[in-house]
Amino acid sequence: MILDLRQNRVETLSNMFQSITAEHHGHHLSEQQRGTLSDITKRCQLLLGEIRKKLDYYAEFDGSKNFRGAVQLFWKRFLWDEKEVTEFREQISQRVKDLTLLLAHLNWYVPWRGLCWIVLTIARQGIQDTKDLTISNRKGVEQIVQHVNEKDRFDLMKWLSPINSAAKQADTLKLRHKGTGRWFLETNEFSNWFNQAQNQRERRTLFCQGAPGTGKTLMISTVIDELRRRIRNDSTIQLAYFYFNYRAEFTIEEILANLLKQLIQDAMIPYRLKSLYESHRKHETHLTLEEILELLESTISESSKVFIVIDALDECQLPHIHQQELLTRISGFQDIHNLGFLATSRDNPDISDMFPNCPRLRIEAKDTDIKAFLETSLNHFRCVKESPDLREEIVAAIINTADGM
C-alpha cells in the first residue's frame, strides 16, 4: 500500500534519530554540544510523531468500506492540503540541516557521516513521497468526484426523460437495407432544407407524407443517421428526434423534455436545470411546460443550428388541438432561431393542414431501393441465385406489383 511505504520510512527515520541520541553518550561532548544534539533529536522525534499520526489517520483504503466510505476517506485525505504538506517538508529539511551542521563540528563526524547521509536521503525521499501522495490523493478524489458526477448526471437525465430515442433509432436502423434511401438525401428539397439560411423562413420546415407501408420510418432513420454524419465535427450544431408510436401515449411535456434531453446529452448540464431538478426532486414532481420551454429556448439559443426530426405524426395519440400546440411551439423557436424541422406522416388532411406554405417531399418505395433489397434477399435461395433470368423475372414482377409501396 502507498501509505505503508511512507509509514515505514517515518519509522526508519525515527529509529535512526534514537540511535543518534544513544550513541552520543559514548563520545566526549561538551554540555552545550550534548544539549544541542538532544534538542535537535527531540525536535525530529516530535515532528516524525506528527507525521506518523497523519499517516495513520489517512490509512490506505483497504477495499472493505462501501462506496460512500471510500468517498469520505478520499475527501479527508484531499483535505490534507498542499500548504500543510509543504510545512512538513520544510521542517524535515530544517531538522536534517541542523543535524548535519552539528555533526560537522563533532570529532566523530567521519564515522557518522554515512548515517547522516542515510538520514538525509530518507528524509528527502519522504518529502517526495509526501508530494506524490498529495498528487495521488487528488487524482483519486477527481476519479471519485467524476464517478459521482456521472451518476448524478445519469439520474438527472433519466428524471428529465426516461424515453430512449437513441435505442429506437438503433433498432430501426438495423432494419434498413444498405444503400437504400439515398434518393431522398439527394433531392433538392432535402438539400435545401439542410442548407437553409436563417433568413429563409419558408424553407426551414420539410413535411414528408407517404402511404402506409412505404418505409417512412426507415427513411427517417436514414435521415437521422445522415444528419449525425454531417454534423459530427461541429459541436455548435445539435440534433434531436422523436419516433411516435400508436401503442404509446406521450404528453407535450414528455415529448419536449425528451428533445431537450437529446440537445444537452453531450454538453454541460445547464445550471438552471440542475436547480429545477433539485427543487422538483424534493417534492417528487416534474418540470412544467413553461420550465421545459424556457430550458429549450436557452439551449437552442446557444447552438448555431438545430435540427429536429419527428416521425409518424399520424400515430401521435395527442388530441388534435394538442398536436397543433406541439407544432406551434416548435414553429415559435423557428421564428427566432436557426432551427430546421422535418416531420413525416401518413396522408392525413388534418395533419397536412398544420403545414401550410412549406416544402413537401413525398416518401415512396423507389424501384432502385426495392431492387437493391431483392437482389440481396434472393441470393439466399440457391435456385434463384443460380438462375439470373429467374431472378430478373422475380424482381421485375415484384417492382411492378409494389407500385410505390
Side-chain angles (χ1 to χ4, degrees):
M1 292 297 187
I2 295 175
L3 287 180
D4 288 343
L5 180 60
R6 277 67 175 184
Q7 289 167 326
N8 289 338
R9 286 200 171 113
V10 168
E11 203 64 42
T12 300
L13 279 170
S14 180
N15 292 336
M16 284 189 168
F17 283 123
Q18 288 177 0
S19 298
I20 291 173
T21 303
E23 287 291 336
H24 84 266
H25 291 292
H27 296 268
H28 300 289
L29 303 178
S30 67
E31 288 296 326
Q32 182 179 359
Q33 290 173 332
R34 186 176 290 111
T36 301
L37 179 58
S38 177
D39 180 63
I40 292 174
T41 54
K42 284 180 181 179
R43 288 175 182 270
C44 290
Q45 292 286 16
L46 288 174
L47 175 59
L48 292 173
E50 291 180 21
I51 296 176
R52 187 187 294 110
K53 288 179 181 179
K54 278 288 183 182
L55 292 174
D56 290 341
Y57 179 69
Y58 298 119
E60 183 73 40
F61 176 54
D62 62 4
S64 62
K65 298 180 181 179
N66 57 22
F67 178 76
R68 183 177 296 275
V71 173
Q72 293 174 343
L73 175 62
F74 271 110
W75 187 250
K76 284 195 304 181
R77 287 169 61 180
F78 184 67
L79 291 179
W80 188 3
D81 59 31
E82 194 166 341
K83 181 179 178 182
E84 189 175 13
V85 171
T86 301
E87 290 178 356
F88 276 129
R89 293 167 62 191
E90 289 176 351
Q91 290 184 59
I92 291 174
S93 296
Q94 187 58 50
R95 297 291 81 79
V96 171
K97 287 179 181 178
D98 292 343
L99 182 61
T100 304
L101 289 173
L102 176 63
L103 294 179
H105 290 85
L106 299 180
N107 294 331
W108 39 285
Y109 167 70
V110 174
W112 277 93
R113 188 173 183 177
L115 176 59
C116 181
W117 179 84
I118 294 173
V119 171
L120 182 58
T121 300
I122 295 176
R124 284 175 175 168
Q125 186 60 54
I127 291 170
Q128 183 60 44
D129 287 345
T130 308
K131 182 179 179 181
D132 293 343
L133 177 60
T134 303
I135 296 173
S136 174
N137 285 344
R138 286 190 173 176
K139 289 182 178 178
V141 170
E142 288 171 359
Q143 291 173 354
I144 293 293
V145 170
Q146 181 182 0
H147 183 81
V148 172
N149 288 343
E150 288 175 355
K151 184 179 185 305
D152 289 344
R153 183 186 181 91
F154 176 82
D155 292 342
L156 186 152
M157 292 298 230
K158 189 174 182 180
W159 169 83
L160 177 60
S161 175
I163 303 169
N164 192 340
S165 295
K168 172 64 177 177
Q169 165 66 8
D171 291 342
T172 306
L173 206 56
K174 290 176 183 177
L175 302 176
R176 185 191 69 176
H177 185 74
K178 186 178 180 180
T180 59
R182 295 301 308 177
W183 68 268
F184 185 95
L185 304 176
E186 294 169 356
T187 61
N188 290 332
E189 290 85 354
F190 180 79
S191 296
N192 290 336
W193 174 78
F194 178 80
N195 297 314
Q196 27 86 9
Q198 187 156 356
N199 59 354
Q200 294 177 305
R201 176 68 176 84
E202 70 281 357
R203 288 190 176 186
R204 285 194 281 151
T205 296
L206 182 60
F207 181 51
C208 306
Q209 287 182 291
T214 53
K216 295 183 296 298
T217 296
L218 285 175
M219 185 62 72
I220 282 299
S221 71
T222 300
V223 169
I224 293 171
D225 190 50
E226 178 67 11
L227 289 175
R228 279 178 169 173
R229 186 188 67 80
R230 293 189 186 187
I231 69 175
R232 63 189 174 191
N233 294 324
D234 190 341
S235 60
T236 68
I237 303 178
Q238 303 298 326
L239 166 67
Y241 49 89
F242 196 90
Y243 286 93
F244 278 112
N245 187 318
Y246 68 86
R247 292 186 294 269
E249 295 185 10
F250 303 105
T251 65
I252 294 180
E253 290 83 358
E254 290 171 334
I255 298 165
L256 293 176
N258 184 255
L259 295 178
L260 172 63
K261 173 184 176 181
Q262 294 178 61
L263 292 177
I264 64 173
Q265 193 78 51
D266 299 320
M268 291 184 62
I269 301 295
Y271 176 79
R272 173 62 173 158
L273 177 55
K274 290 181 181 179
S275 177
L276 289 170
Y277 170 60
E278 293 298 334
S279 177
H280 280 285
R281 188 173 61 169
K282 292 178 182 177
H283 302 92
E284 299 184 353
T285 54
H286 291 276
L287 294 172
T288 64
L289 178 59
E290 291 71 23
E291 290 169 339
I292 296 172
L293 292 171
E294 173 196 341
L295 290 164
L296 274 171
E297 162 66 30
S298 174
T299 301
I300 293 173
S301 68
E302 294 177 357
S303 303
S304 64
K305 184 182 293 186
V306 171
F307 292 104
I308 293 180
V309 179
I310 293 183
D311 179 56
L313 278 171
D314 56 289
E315 296 188 35
C316 174
Q317 300 300 304
L318 288 172
H320 179 72
I321 189 172
H322 290 162
Q323 290 183 21
Q324 197 162 26
E325 181 183 3
L326 173 64
L327 298 179
T328 300
R329 298 294 188 181
I330 295 175
S331 178
F333 291 129
Q334 288 183 305
D335 289 336
I336 53 179
H337 300 294
N338 192 6
L339 188 152
F341 177 43
L342 188 153
T344 69
S345 170
R346 291 183 181 182
D347 295 317
N348 184 311
D350 291 334
I351 295 177
S352 182
D353 290 344
M354 291 188 284
F355 291 88
N357 306 318
C358 74
R360 301 182 180 216
L361 179 58
R362 189 159 188 82
I363 296 178
E364 297 176 336
K366 297 294 184 180
D367 291 351
T368 53
D369 286 352
I370 297 175
K371 184 176 181 179
F373 173 75
L374 291 174
E375 289 283 0
T376 301
S377 300
L378 290 175
N379 283 334
H380 296 296
F381 299 94
R382 183 178 178 181
C383 60
V384 178
K385 185 177 181 180
E386 294 177 351
S387 176
D389 293 338
L390 176 60
R391 179 165 54 189
E392 286 185 15
E393 183 179 346
I394 293 174
V395 170
I398 293 177
I399 288 177
N400 291 333
T401 305
D403 191 25
M405 295 293 289

